[in-house]
Amino acid sequence: MGKPKVAFYWCASCGGCEEAVVDLAEDILKVVEAVEIVFWPVAMDFKVKDVESLGDGEIAVSFINGAIRTGEQEHMAKLLRKKSGLVVAFGACAHIGGIPGLANFVNREKIFDWVYLNAPSNDNPGKIIPQEKTQVEVGELTLPKFYDTVYTLDQVIDVDYYLPGCAPPPDLIMKAVEAILSGNLPEKGTVLAPDKALCDTCKRKTTKPEHASIKEIRRVHEVMLDPDRCFLDQGIICLGPATRDGCGERCINANMPCRGCFGSTSRVEDQGAKFLSALASIIDMNDEEEIKRIMDSIVDPAGVFYFYSLPASMLRRRLDI
Amino acid sequence: MCTGRIDPQFVLKAFQSGADGVLILGCHPGDCHYKEGNYKALRRFHLLKRVVKQFGVDEGRLRLDWVSASEGEKFVEVITDMVATVKKLGPLTTAKEELRVG
Amino acid sequence: MQIRVGVYICKCGTNISENIDIDELIQFSSRLENVAYVKDQPLLCSEDGKNFLASDVAQEKPERVVIVACTPKEHEKTFRNTLLRADFNPYLFQMVNVREQVAWVTADKAAATEKAKAYIRAAVKRVTLHEPLEKKEIECNTDVLVIGAGPAGMEAALLLAKAGRKVYLVEKNSFVGGRVARYEEVFPKMECASCMLEPKMDEILHDENIELITSSEVVEVLGYLGNFSVKIKKRATCVDKEKCIGCGACYEPCPVSVRNEFDYHLSDRKAIHVPYTGALPNVPVLDQGHCLRFAKTDSAMVQEALDLGLITQEESENYKKQDCTACQEACMFDAITYDRQDEILERNIGCIIVAIGFELFDPSVLPQFGYGKIPEVYTGLEFERILSQTGPTGGKLFMKNGQEPRSLAIIHCVGSRDKKHKEYCSGVCCLYALKFARLAEKHAPGAKIYDIYADWCVPGKDNQEFLDSLKEKKNVYFIHTNLPLSVAVKQNKDSLSVSCVDVSGKENPLAADMVVLCPAIIPARDTSRLSEMLLITSGRDGFFAEGHTKLAPVSTNIEGVFIAGCCQGPKDIQGSVAQGAAAAGQVLSALVPGRKLELDVIIAEADENSCAGCMTCIGLCPYKAIMFDKEKKIAVVNTVLCKGCGTCVAACPSGCLTGKHFTEEQIFAEIEEVLK
């Protein structure tokens, strides 16, 4: 029997997840040795027809990163799903929508208006906006459909496992690869990271007072951040308590609060709402006007609480546009 | 159970499931059967209200009010008012329909 | 997997069936997933109905039960008990309220039926997610701590002791009796207060089940109903109560004389003293704050003050520690030892009754009354002492100059019923003002007595008669004023002038030798400290908040902690004693020796394997039921203290806390189904 076939694909993403694969360093050699890569557009020259020519389920595992926001991405995700035994949603965008998912606060029209017409750096006197179909002399050109809404991978296809993170850290990737190669797999649908909140391993936990109480919310650029003290205790929004552990506190160690890229634990359906609840609860104020004042001091609450998870949230997107 | 048990997820779940409005009624501040659950509800409510607005849900669709067990009239008043507000706003775009991929 | 759900629909006579199509509900319900059978009953809460339910459940053996009937407030308990009879776990049951929430409020029958269907669909889905919950029982301590030995506290302690309970009665003063110990006579029957009180005080002192701990205060309370442990700080009084016979030989030689707090500084006492003749227990107290042996001032500071000329040589002596042993030498029974230290006593108890009494609103806040500036202006409590035989004047009505007053003004509602101060009516001032008038008339015959009142508050059996009897007195003048009081007291050369505007708008210039103010009754100083320590809430007026104004007047928000007397709100002695008795009754039924304590089952639970120890929940719990396990670094819910409010569950950002019987899953299911 040949080596197991593996595919990598990227959808709406920044490329960081591809870097993460390369970040395996020497370990990548082990992976390459153990598997046969059949598709990896960013690194190797394969064509879509190569995938199409494979039998259904012939690919052992496809790692798909990025959210789904265009017709082409949806098409490729569905194709890979058909050809693969396992699909792993790789990274925050595939898992919970990620940063591209923040576009769900607007719609296609607004995005196009800004990107092609109104952004100050534009020079588009003809007010040309991309069209799905354009007639040129040699025939019809097509572009993938740009959706109003950004989707997580599992809203489009069936996903077997999730590797969370922006981007997933090398140790979790290696663990996942090893589990897949050895066939020692957890229950379908599992997120391949610890199922506890980030605070569990956060070094700053020891500085957090038992009775957390916040009287003012501050933004990171407004204060000198104490590199050892719990962010929330400093009045800085840190999504750590509502975010799955396993990242190795990369942001925290760089003195930046958690923004929630690992998504929630398995017991929470809406990461942003749950964080909102926790944060509001520890605002130490009972006077309604003061409560409003403090809540209003959070500039963009939905944007902060759903920094990575908007498409995976209960409401998924702005409803009135 | 107490307004303090209200997880903002419940409110979003209701909107997600097709509710056109969500009305939270609790004991008056200072009169909480569980001491101060209603203050926790109040804090969550004001933040949640801002968040749902960003989701394009009109503010009138989410309301918190205090009605004690003995305030039958106020209860009727608040409900009637809420129903009128929501009727005026019409149905909330149901998430499920709009969110079919494509 | 199928779960066998049995649905019972109650018609509630015609209450439900008149407005909801029962047949349609039956058809609808039987088509729902998991529903095994649907049955209707004319009146499920009747004896017949309950018997049917019990036998039918025993026969059908459903895995879950849904009862479609009235509000759970009314009959959830009834049906839980009925299901228990059928050996069915009562938490595998869900009630649907189609009476109050549907039949009675939705006029259109078709709409009502649709609404009822949605509720049933939600309940059926929810109930399949229910888990069987088992009641737990724990051992408990039935001893009682009573804080405050006034009329309320004494009554509670005595009743409990008579029922065989061990009672620890903690009193901050060195004597029992509370404020009443200061009174001469009490309204309306003008009974002698000490004659009334002494037999009770005597019983308190001699009951074997009561440990009276005087000169003490509770400094720490841990635990919960049935299992409290408390720390009590007992001030060192330097007198051995076992040896002391109360002869009083020790006061005479004491060289230190200070103002007596018991008499509100209207008399003097020695550093070693009993606050008044007849105080019980009759054991003197050595006041370390004033005794020369215990002078607290640092000697270097005294020297510095002397060097700077701030004090004289003579005065400096008073600040220095002196090896005075006058009282010890005078004691024939070796009862006095100076090396006593404050002690911390630890006691384990099951219930706490707080009866710490009241204080008076400080009238000096209202300068128009002249209190604190004009010597002959007194508060009601000060006046009580002047009238008392054990007081500064030996029971003679004298002014500070030793003369009998020829006129006296009594002013009601000082600081009361006033939005700027205390909004409430203290309820007892009218009556004690009348008592003062009666006593003043007796002590200073012929003196003019002006009673300046705003309204009469004299409810109760004998009180109107009491008022009427005073209205007949020729030398008692009643002046009816409006609120807020328009009264000004000024010091003239010979007497005081009291000008007051009556209801007709007429200004009445009165001359009075003495003025007695009736200030609002306010919470005792210790109220907020105890409120924090015991976690019991206070109302906006500062008094402890009762569980329910009408139905739970001596309960608090904390199980096992009760309140009695004026700390709950202003009241007379009768009311305080009644509350003391009520609190004792509550304690007797809350904890019964030999009976275990049944714990709530609908509580929060922390999953120790998934908690990250973020501590969001810890400070949120109003019952302090969540502890942080410092070793495991996780939150732990105390199953006895938790009341199941769910505040922590809603806040837990990683979903490790579960609210039993109100889980996220159950509530989500209910929301989804009702909106389907």
Side-chain angles (χ1 to χ4, degrees), chain C residues 376 395-408 440-447 513-514:
Chain C
E376 289 307 319
K396 303 269 190 306
L397 178 48
F398 286 157
M399 296 183 288
K400 291 206 168 81
N401 62 11
Q403 287 180 5
E404 217 170 68
R406 283 152 300 145
S407 54
L408 176 82
E441 197 219 0
K442 191 171 102 186
H443 284 271
D513 290 336
M514 247 181 167

Side-chain angles (χ1 to χ4, degrees), chain C residues 568-586:
Chain C
Q568 180 263 343
K571 59 179 64 64
D572 64 3
I573 299 167
Q574 185 187 21
S576 292
V577 171
Q579 283 205 336
Q586 291 283 356

Side-chain angles (χ1 to χ4, degrees), chain A residues 100-313:
Chain A
L102 283 169
N104 283 357
F105 283 125
V106 288
N107 59 7
R108 170 177 44 207
E109 192 189 336
K110 283 193 193 290
I111 293 170
F112 280 14
D113 278 356
W114 178 254
V115 172
Y116 296 105
L117 304 175
N118 300 329
S121 57
N122 268 325
D123 181 17
N124 183 5
K127 297 199 185 305
I128 293 159
I129 291 183
Q131 302 295 314
E132 278 173 52
K133 286 177 184 151
T134 310
Q135 285 298 331
V136 291
E137 274 173 38
V138 291
E140 188 182 69
L141 294 180
T142 59
L143 278 174
K145 183 174 181 186
F146 188 97
Y147 297 154
D148 258 338
T149 300
V150 176
Y151 303 92
T152 64
L153 188 60
D154 65 2
Q155 286 164 0
V156 176
I157 60 167
D158 190 35
V159 169
D160 297 288
Y161 298 103
Y162 302 84
L163 254 172
C166 177
D171 61 324
L172 289 189
I173 300 174
M174 270 321 283
K175 260 191 215 161
V177 170
E178 278 160 14
I180 291 164
L181 289 177
S182 66
N184 187 17
L185 284 161
E187 200 189 330
K188 189 183 167 198
T190 302
V191 177
L192 303 172
D195 200 7
K196 284 187 178 186
L198 183 60
C199 303
D200 189 44
T201 54
C202 179
K203 284 190 269 309
R204 301 188 188 210
K205 183 163 80 169
T206 51
T207 68
K208 193 172 182 180
E210 273 190 31
H211 293 246
S213 66
I214 301 175
K215 291 210 156 60
E216 294 293 337
I217 302 273
R218 294 188 178 85
R219 304 176 81 184
V220 286
H221 61 272
E222 293 172 340
V223 273
M224 284 296 289
L225 291 173
D226 183 331
D228 300 314
R229 194 168 141 212
C230 171
F231 284 106
L232 283 163
D233 192 40
Q234 300 181 60
I236 300 289
I237 292 177
C238 171
L239 263 65
T243 302
R244 195 184 276 266
D245 195 9
C247 59
E249 287 89 34
R250 294 173 294 188
C251 303
I252 308 281
N253 292 338
N255 206 12
M256 276 293 130
C258 173
R259 285 288 170 254
C261 73
F262 263 54
S264 69
T265 63
S266 64
R267 299 166 296 276
V268 171
E269 208 175 312
D270 190 298
Q271 186 186 15
K274 214 54 174 123
F275 179 77
L276 178 160
S277 187
L279 177 70
S281 303
I282 56 170
I283 301 284
D284 191 16
M285 194 53 70
N286 285 346
D287 178 78
E288 187 161 8
E289 289 311 309
E290 272 297 292
I291 291 174
K292 278 193 209 163
R293 186 189 62 76
I294 299 170
M295 299 312 176
D296 287 350
S297 74
I298 304 172
V299 176
D300 173 18
V304 178
F305 305 155
Y306 294 97
F307 207 78
Y308 280 93
S309 67
L310 183 57
S313 70

